[in-house]
Amino acid sequence: MYEPHRSKTSYTTNLASCIVATVFLLFLAARIVIVYFLLFKPKDPKIAVDAVQFPTFSVANSTVDFTFLQYVTVSNPNRDAFTHYDNSLQLAYSDAPVN
C-alpha cells in the first residue's frame, strides 16, 4: 500500500492551528469570566450578631460553667442561594487555646 509522506510544513501548520485554537479558547474563557463578574457582581453575605445571652453562668471551685446563646442574621444580596456548613467556635484564654 502506498502511504503519502507528510511534509514538515503540514506538521507545522497543524501545530500552529492547535496553538491558535488554544489561545482563542483561553481568551474566550477569560471573557466569559469577566462578563459573569460584570453582570452578576457577586457580593459577600452580610452577617450581623443580633443578640448574645448568658442564661446560666456560675463560678465554683475555680471552674466556670455557662451557657452561651448567640443570635445571628445572615442576609445574602446575591441571586443564588447561600449555604454555610462550617460552624466552629474556638475559645482562648490569655491567647492560648482552651481544649
Side-chain angles (χ1 to χ4, degrees):
M1 282 182 97
Y2 174 74
E3 291 186 25
H5 180 344
R6 289 189 170 186
S7 67
K8 187 162 178 88
T9 57
S10 173
Y11 173 76
T12 307
T13 304
N14 289 340
L15 180 64
S17 297
C18 287
I19 291 173
V20 168
T22 302
V23 169
F24 173 75
L25 290 174
L26 288 173
F27 278 125
L28 183 64
R31 291 196 120 186
I32 289 171
V33 169
I34 289 170
V35 167
Y36 171 77
F37 281 107
L38 287 176
L39 287 178
F40 295 108
K41 299 177 185 168
K43 297 178 183 94
D44 292 333
K46 294 180 181 18
I47 302 172
V49 177
D50 295 330
V52 175
Q53 298 175 354
F54 292 93
T56 61
F57 187 88
S58 65
V59 179
N61 298 331
S62 300
T63 302
V64 176
D65 185 28
F66 64 91
T67 303
F68 174 79
L69 299 175
Q70 180 178 10
Y71 297 97
V72 179
T73 302
V74 178
S75 62
N76 184 14
N78 300 311
R79 295 178 188 156
D80 292 333
F82 171 73
T83 306
H84 181 71
Y85 295 107
D86 183 23
N87 294 328
S88 62
L89 173 68
Q90 294 181 356
L91 183 61
Y93 177 74
S94 295
D95 292 331
V98 176
N99 295 330

